[in-house]
Amino acid sequence: MATGPTLKDVADRAGVSLATASRALTPDQPISAATRDRVLAAVDALGYRARRARRSTDEVSRVVVLVPSLRHMAAAEVLTGVEAASADAGLSCSFVATGSDPVRELTAVERLAAGPAVAAVIAVGGTRPTSQWRESMTRSIRTLRSHGTRVVFCGRSLPDEDLGEVAVLDYENREGSLAAVSVLLSKGHRRIGLVRGPAGFSTSEERSQGYADALAGFDVELDPTLVSTGARSGVDAARRCTELLTQHPDLTAVFADSDTQAFGVLRAAQLLGRRVPEDLSVIGFDDHEDLAPVSSPPLTTVHSPFVELGRRATRAALGTDPELEPGSRLTLATHIVMRASVAPVAR
């Protein structure tokens, strides 16, 4: 009976010993980058799929999801979609919280590449793509793919990165932010603050670019002193926005690049006696359906299709989404949900 290429075939093609080829497919083994790359190139050329030891039915029927935090509202909504789609396919899920730390994420992916086979790996949310992250992530993904495991980035578009056979599913971060700030500008606001997430964090960088794009579209010069950068938490956003409004009392609107931060902005306005929306318009990004409609006042925000992202990411990871083959990219639309926290600028 015909069989596929073996590890010996890979070793012969790469010009290395069988033991060296095996080490090259196991992260954190003592082997040069050049040798590992040679072995991985042979894997790709031959279409080799490792026959993993301990490949039990329970292991390969599992979807592993890497998330910033299980308490993160957007991630929780994505996980709702992942769980639903996995259950429909008869699979189980497990979650690994990375704390938005690229080192912790790399460690998790490397362990998955070295351990028993799983059906799929889905990495959710933004990241900080350092040079170490690029090199190690690319290597681990190639190892996972050699074992037949699909990898999907969900809610993480890294247009400048080439990660090979990763399917990338994202939503309109830059476009959604442009639309949100344009709403404020169209209502006469010109002094608009930005309360954003950490520097270098991919999602916040894209949303900040949308803020800048909107200002440019209305011929409003970007004032960097109106931009407050920090942790994506309501408490931190309330502190930073209090400082921002105190230093710039002429601000008439604030765009927060997440609903969590927008709730902090609403708290800051309350503490300073700024009425929303009469004195200050506030707009967020995410549209958490259990919170945004019941904030005081109800929050105008950018709706992000988080549950659908989770469903589609799972189908892509299982090879059942025709629009998301390995190596492809797909961006889902966002839209503005108008509520009571935005009004025309007071004259």
Side-chain angles (χ1 to χ4, degrees), residues 116-308:
V118 295
V121 176
I122 301 173
V124 175
T127 189
R128 298 178 181 86
T130 64
S131 57
Q132 177 192 3
W133 182 91
R134 293 182 185 95
E135 293 173 7
S136 183
M137 183 63 75
T138 300
R139 186 164 56 246
S140 293
I141 287 170
R142 292 176 72 182
T143 302
L144 285 165
R145 291 296 296 135
S146 75
H147 301 146
T149 299
R150 291 190 180 222
V151 180
V152 177
F153 282 177
C154 177
R156 173 185 301 180
S157 180
L158 301 172
D160 297 329
E161 305 296 332
D162 181 8
L163 295 167
E165 293 187 273
V166 176
V168 178
L169 176 64
D170 202 12
Y171 54 101
E172 295 175 331
N173 283 293
R174 182 170 177 173
E175 298 87 345
S177 297
L178 187 156
V181 180
S182 294
V183 165
L184 298 172
L185 290 160
S186 70
K187 292 183 178 297
H189 297 278
R190 292 298 180 267
R191 296 288 285 170
I192 303 171
L194 169 63
V195 174
R196 55 157 288 169
F201 191 68
S202 57
T203 302
S204 285
E205 294 299 333
E206 287 192 43
R207 295 181 185 181
S208 294
Q209 188 58 57
Y211 166 83
D213 292 345
L215 294 178
F218 279 75
D219 295 321
V220 176
E221 184 176 356
L222 192 156
D223 182 349
T225 68
L226 303 186
V227 178
S228 177
T229 302
R232 276 187 156 190
S233 79
V235 172
D236 189 66
R239 177 188 61 78
R240 289 187 285 120
C241 190
T242 300
E243 295 175 356
L244 190 65
L245 292 172
T246 301
Q247 294 166 3
H248 301 279
D250 60 335
L251 285 180
T252 63
V254 173
F255 168 56
D257 84 355
S258 71
D259 281 1
T260 302
Q261 292 177 105
F263 300 142
V265 172
L266 293 176
R267 176 58 176 163
Q270 181 186 48
L271 292 172
L272 294 173
R274 300 286 295 272
R275 296 171 303 162
V276 178
E278 293 87 351
D279 304 323
L280 184 75
S281 285
V282 179
I283 190 165
F285 198 120
D286 288 331
D287 190 26
H288 296 301
E289 61 183 18
D290 290 334
L291 296 175
V294 297
S295 64
S296 183
L299 182 66
T300 296
T301 185
V302 180
H303 177 80
S304 304
F306 292 125
V307 176
E308 180 63 13

Side-chain angles (χ1 to χ4, degrees), residues 2-131:
T3 60
T6 65
L7 185 59
K8 178 68 164 57
D9 297 327
V10 171
D12 291 343
R13 185 179 181 93
V16 299
S17 69
L18 189 61
T20 297
S22 178
R23 286 202 308 274
L25 296 180
T26 306
D28 298 327
Q29 291 298 304
I31 190 169
S32 72
T35 300
R36 190 187 302 274
D37 286 344
R38 229 171 40 247
V39 171
L40 290 173
V43 165
D44 290 344
L46 295 171
Y48 171 71
R49 294 291 181 265
R51 294 165 178 77
R52 307 297 297 277
R54 304 181 308 281
R55 190 179 174 94
S56 72
T57 300
D58 289 342
E59 288 159 352
V60 297
S61 65
R62 185 164 59 100
V63 175
V64 179
V65 189
L66 309 179
V67 294
S69 168
L70 294 176
R71 297 175 60 188
H72 191 286
M73 288 186 289
E77 291 184 27
V78 172
L79 293 181
T80 298
V82 171
E83 287 181 318
S86 297
D88 288 345
L91 304 178
S92 62
C93 297
S94 63
F95 310 118
V96 179
T98 65
S100 297
D101 183 341
V103 175
R104 285 172 61 181
E105 181 175 82
L106 287 176
T107 300
V109 174
E110 288 170 353
R111 286 174 177 168
L112 288 168
V118 295
V121 176
I122 301 173
V124 175
T127 189
R128 298 178 181 86
T130 64
S131 57

